[in-house]
Amino acid sequence: MIDFHCHLDLYPNPVAIADEAKRRNIGVLSVTTTPSAWRGTSNLAVGNPAIRTALGLHPQLASERRHELPLFQDLLSSTDFVGEVGLDGSPEHHESRNDQRFVFREILRACERAGGKVVSVHSRRAASAVMDQLEQHPRSGTPILHWFSGTQPELRRAIARECWFSVGPSMLAGSKGRGLVSAMPRNRVLLESDGPFTGRNGRPLAPWDAALAIDTISHVWNLPPDVVAAVVQNNERSLLRHL
Ligand code: MN
């Protein structure tokens, strides 16, 4: 199993989490929030090829870190994976909306020039604006919409753009998230923890906790959990096959 959206570098003890993930045979898409975090975070993957480090610039840091875009460009050839990137339309990030759009557009352009990347995308309260940009940059690669929380029409648009979806226990805690997962194409669903920003019983979710989503997906899809696990594993393979 692969946790397709985890902030490994932001746990208090990232090395212990990486070691435990290896012991449990769990893969991780280790996303970053700034280009300057990439080198240090990719060190966590040394000796563990099941950890793939994504180069990111989080929309909530767009204003503060847009000066790191040249570093993003320099590092992009080092990885097949980009994230966490995207747009955040929450009121508290309204002021940075122009910087967010600029940064996301520059990143998608760079991905196009690089021949396409696997891109883990944040779209909180901004699903339509994210889809606008993804549609304007069709050769930017394969988007994985992480913790998608848009409307059903926005979901249909994302499906038409051939987006993938990473789904975790926190997203599935509410009926809206479950309704979205029921409408997602089963061959484009992946698992995520979004740890350490998500928690359970007062503890941050770890990469292996992404598997907790399987029981809920099993109810929503009306399939046995082992079948859901096999579907997800098949999806992981098909996404990574072309890299
Ligand atoms: Mn995240």
Side-chain angles (χ1 to χ4, degrees), residues 5 7 31 58 84 122 146 194 197:
H5 186 103
H7 298 265
V31 297
H58 198 287
E84 180 167 359
H122 175 110
H146 124 76
D194 200 18
F197 293 117

Side-chain angles (χ1 to χ4, degrees), residues 2-219:
I2 302 173
D3 175 358
F4 260 91
H5 186 103
C6 181
H7 298 265
L8 208 47
D9 58 343
L10 301 182
Y11 288 89
N13 49 353
V15 173
I17 299 282
D19 287 349
E20 181 64 11
K22 187 175 188 177
R23 199 185 66 77
R24 293 176 183 240
N25 201 22
I26 299 292
V28 180
L29 181 60
S30 168
V31 297
T32 53
T33 56
T34 66
S36 51
W38 194 81
R39 283 194 197 282
T41 304
S42 61
N43 283 337
L44 295 168
V46 171
N48 187 350
I51 299 179
R52 293 153 173 104
T53 312
L55 175 64
L57 204 168
H58 198 287
Q60 295 173 357
L61 300 172
S63 294
E64 194 184 310
R65 300 300 182 111
R66 62 176 272 175
H67 67 275
E68 290 190 26
L69 275 173
L71 180 59
F72 183 96
Q73 313 267 7
D74 287 348
L75 292 170
L76 188 57
S77 63
S78 319
T79 178
D80 292 322
F81 300 91
V82 164
E84 180 167 359
V85 297
L87 300 173
D88 191 309
S90 310
E92 61 269 37
H93 300 292
H94 185 69
E95 231 169 77
S96 69
R97 66 196 181 284
N98 291 329
D99 285 329
Q100 289 189 43
R101 277 197 290 264
F102 175 79
V103 165
F104 190 39
R105 185 173 340 109
E106 289 301 304
I107 285 171
L108 292 177
R109 281 183 181 159
C111 290
E112 285 195 313
R113 286 194 299 273
K117 301 285 178 181
V118 172
V119 188
S120 184
V121 183
H122 175 110
S123 58
R124 184 160 68 132
R125 295 195 180 204
S128 290
V130 161
M131 291 316 305
D132 288 345
Q133 292 220 22
L134 290 176
E135 286 170 6
Q136 283 160 22
H137 301 282
R139 285 176 303 283
S140 52
T142 306
I144 305 172
L145 299 182
H146 124 76
W147 194 333
F148 184 76
S149 58
T151 62
Q152 290 282 349
E154 286 167 334
L155 175 64
R156 287 194 286 276
R157 199 174 158 197
I159 294 167
R161 169 61 178 81
E162 302 198 318
C163 291
W164 290 63
F165 304 91
S166 57
V167 166
S170 310
M171 170 182 172
L172 295 171
S175 60
K176 183 182 175 188
R178 293 194 293 270
L180 288 165
V181 170
S182 74
M184 287 173 183
R186 293 177 183 180
N187 61 349
R188 276 191 249 150
V189 171
L190 304 161
L191 302 179
E192 70 167 40
S193 68
D194 200 18
F197 293 117
T198 52
R200 187 166 173 262
N201 304 328
R203 296 184 49 201
L205 291 187
W208 46 91
D209 293 323
L212 296 169
I214 289 175
D215 268 342
T216 314
I217 299 172
S218 149
H219 286 288

